[in-house]
Amino acid sequence: MHGAPVLFLPIIEWDFRVQRPQQLARCFARAGERVYYAGLRLTGRPRPPRPVESGIWAVDLPGNPGLDPYRDRLSPADVRGALAALAELAAEHPLAGVWIVVHHPFWRPLAEAARSAFSGALLFDCMDEFSAFADHASWTEEEVALAATADLVAASSVRLHAKLAPHHPGCLLLPNACDPEHFGPAASRRPAGGRPVVGFFGGIHEWFDGPLVAALAAARPEWDFWLVGDTYQGDVRALRDLPNVTFLGELAYSDLPRVASGFDVGIIPFRVNALTEATNPVKVYEMLAAGLPVVATDLPELRGLGPGVAVARTPEEFAARIAEALAEGPAAPREQRERWRRESWAERFLILRQAMAEVSPAGLASPAEWTKSVPTRRTLGLSPANYGAADLKRHVDRLEGDLRAREEERDQLIAQAAEMAVERLSLLEQRDRVLAEAHRLRGVVASHQQEIEDLRHPLRGRLAGRLRSLLGGLG
C-alpha cells in the first residue's frame, strides 16, 4: 500500500456539506497519501473501513454514542477504545508516521494518544470560533492546549490566527478557497433576461440574517431570492410567506454550479458577531469562481477581496450594492477563472504541504524526503474530470439507489394490492353467502310466523269462550 497515512478527526461528517475538511482530504488523496476520515460521533457498532473516494476511507471509532462532540469531552475509556480500533486498523492499513489532522478540540486526547502510539505528527487546522456557536460548549482551554501541543497549526482567518499564534510560533494563516474547475462552468451559463435572481447557498443557520434578507425581498419585489441550504436554527420566519423568496433545500455539492448558474448576484447575509467575525466564508470564493458578483455583510475577512465583492452595513446599502452589481453584470468568465484559480484548494494545499514538510518529529520522514514528495498543481489534478466526475458518480449512484428503493416499494405495493384484491373477492363471496343465509332465515322466520298466526286464531277463540263462561258464572 503506497502513500503516507493521514487521519482526519473532523468537525463534520464526510457526507455533510462539502467544506474545508473534505476539500483538504481530497487534496491529500490526489497527492498520493492514504486518507482516513473518522466519523464525527463515536459508535457502539463500528463498521469496517470503507472507501468513499479514491484514496479515502471512512472509519468508525468505537465509544459512547451519546457523546455530543460539540459539548462533551472524551473519557479515558473512549480514548482507549478508539485507540484500540486504530491499532486494529493499522494491521491492514499501516499508520506508522501518520499525520493526524484535527478540526475540533474535542479530539485532542485521542489525537495526542494516536500521535504517540504511531510515532506521528499532529496538525490542528482551526476553521471556526468554536465556542461562539449557540450549540457548542466553551472550548477555549482545550483549544489552547491543542494549539500548544500540535506540531503544526493552521488558521482559516486572520482573527483565528491572531488568537492561536501566541500558543504556537509556527501558526500558519491558510484561508479557505474554492475549486474553480468545479464552479467555473457556471460563469458561462448565465440566464438571458427575466427577473433578476439574488442567490445564496450554504448553511441557513444561526449566523444567517433572515430578517435582513426578508427586508430586502420585501423592498425589492421585482427580484427573486433563491436560498439553498438547510435551515437548522435559522431565523427564517419572516421569509416563509414572501412570494419572491424560494427555499431550495440542501443540495449536493455537484448541484451547486447548476443552481449558481441561475443566480445574477450572490449574497452572504451573515449576522455580525464573534462567530462570523472569525469566519473566512468558503462560499465567497465559490460564488466568485462561478462568475457571480457578491454582496456581503461587512465582515473582516470579506473586506479587501477586490473587484467582485461589495460589503454593506444596512438593508438599504445591501439593496444599493445589489442593484449596482446587477447593472454592472458579471466579470468575463476567463478573467474570473484566472483570478480565482489563485484562490484554489490546490494552491492552499501546496502551502500547507510545504509547511508539513518542514516539520519532522521523531519517527517521521526527514524534511528533505517530505519535500521530494510535495505535489505539484499538475499532480494534484483538481478538476471536474477527477472530483466532479466522482461527485457526479456518487450522485448517480444515490439516484439509482433511490430508484431501486422505489421499484422495491412499487413491487411491494403491487403485491399488497394483489393480496387485497384476493381478500376483497373473499369478502365479496362471504358477503354473498351471508346475504343468502339471511334470505333463507327470513323465509324460515316468515313460515314460522304463519304457523304462529294459524295457532293464534283458534287459541283466541277458546280463550274468549272460556272468558265468557267465567264471566257468566260470576254473574
Side-chain angles (χ1 to χ4, degrees), residues 343-364:
E343 307 288 345
S344 68
W345 287 113
E347 294 291 335
R348 300 285 194 264
F349 178 70
L350 291 173
I351 296 170
L352 176 63
R353 191 64 172 76
Q354 182 61 45
M356 294 170 69
E358 296 169 1
V359 175
S360 182
L364 291 184

Side-chain angles (χ1 to χ4, degrees), residues 6 29 55 98 106 133 135 145 177 224 404 416 423:
V6 182
V98 63
F106 168 79
F133 285 94
D135 57 352
D224 287 326
R404 286 192 296 272
Q416 291 174 8
E423 186 176 352

Side-chain angles (χ1 to χ4, degrees), residues 269-459:
F270 286 177
R271 300 177 186 275
V272 179
N273 53 34
L275 174 62
T276 58
E277 287 181 335
T279 296
N280 182 256
V282 174
K283 57 193 58 59
V284 70
Y285 302 104
E286 294 175 338
M287 288 177 178
L288 289 165
L292 292 168
V294 178
V295 180
T297 309
D298 186 17
L299 300 176
E301 292 291 310
L302 298 179
R303 298 173 195 150
L305 276 183
V309 181
V311 296
R313 296 174 180 81
T314 65
E316 293 75 22
E317 284 187 14
F318 229 102
R321 300 295 86 78
I322 292 173
E324 291 168 4
L326 289 170
E328 185 175 336
R334 178 176 295 180
E335 294 175 7
Q336 198 81 329
R337 282 198 297 271
E338 288 301 319
R339 178 188 175 194
W340 294 106
R341 188 168 281 112
R342 298 191 296 272
E343 307 288 345
S344 68
W345 287 113
E347 294 291 335
R348 300 285 194 264
F349 178 70
L350 291 173
I351 296 170
L352 176 63
R353 191 64 172 76
Q354 182 61 45
M356 294 170 69
E358 296 169 1
V359 175
S360 182
L364 291 184
S366 69
E369 291 171 335
W370 271 76
T371 304
K372 287 178 185 176
S373 64
V374 170
T376 64
R377 296 168 184 80
R378 183 179 296 276
T379 60
L380 281 174
L382 298 175
S383 70
N386 294 307
Y387 296 127
D391 201 61
L392 179 61
K393 182 180 183 303
R394 288 196 305 278
H395 188 54
V396 170
D397 290 344
R398 186 164 57 249
L399 291 175
E400 289 178 345
D402 289 344
L403 179 60
R404 286 192 296 272
R406 297 295 181 271
E407 288 175 344
E408 291 175 1
E409 184 179 357
R410 178 202 62 193
D411 293 342
Q412 291 175 358
L413 289 172
I414 290 173
Q416 291 174 8
E419 292 175 1
M420 291 174 67
V422 171
E423 186 176 352
R424 177 175 175 274
L425 288 173
S426 174
L427 289 172
L428 289 173
E429 291 174 356
Q430 292 179 41
R431 183 201 65 183
D432 292 342
R433 286 197 297 270
V434 168
L435 290 174
E437 181 66 13
H439 182 71
R440 185 186 69 79
L441 289 174
R442 278 198 297 271
V444 170
V445 169
S447 65
H448 285 302
Q449 186 69 31
Q450 187 60 48
E451 292 176 6
I452 291 170
E453 289 297 325
D454 292 344
L455 290 170
R456 188 179 291 160
H457 289 302
L459 221 71

Side-chain angles (χ1 to χ4, degrees), residues 71-82:
R71 303 190 65 84
D72 299 326
R73 302 295 193 267
L74 282 170
S75 71
D78 289 320
V79 173
R80 288 193 297 271

Side-chain angles (χ1 to χ4, degrees), residues 7 9 38 42 46 59-63 74-91 93 95 98 100 107-120:
L7 171 65
L9 298 177
L42 304 179
V59 177
D60 290 342
L61 296 177
L74 282 170
S75 71
D78 289 320
V79 173
R80 288 193 297 271
L83 195 61
L86 290 175
E88 186 177 341
L89 170 70
H93 298 253
L95 295 178
V98 63
I100 304 161
W107 296 109
R108 182 179 70 84
L110 176 59
E112 293 176 353
R115 175 176 57 181
S116 176
F118 301 109
S119 301

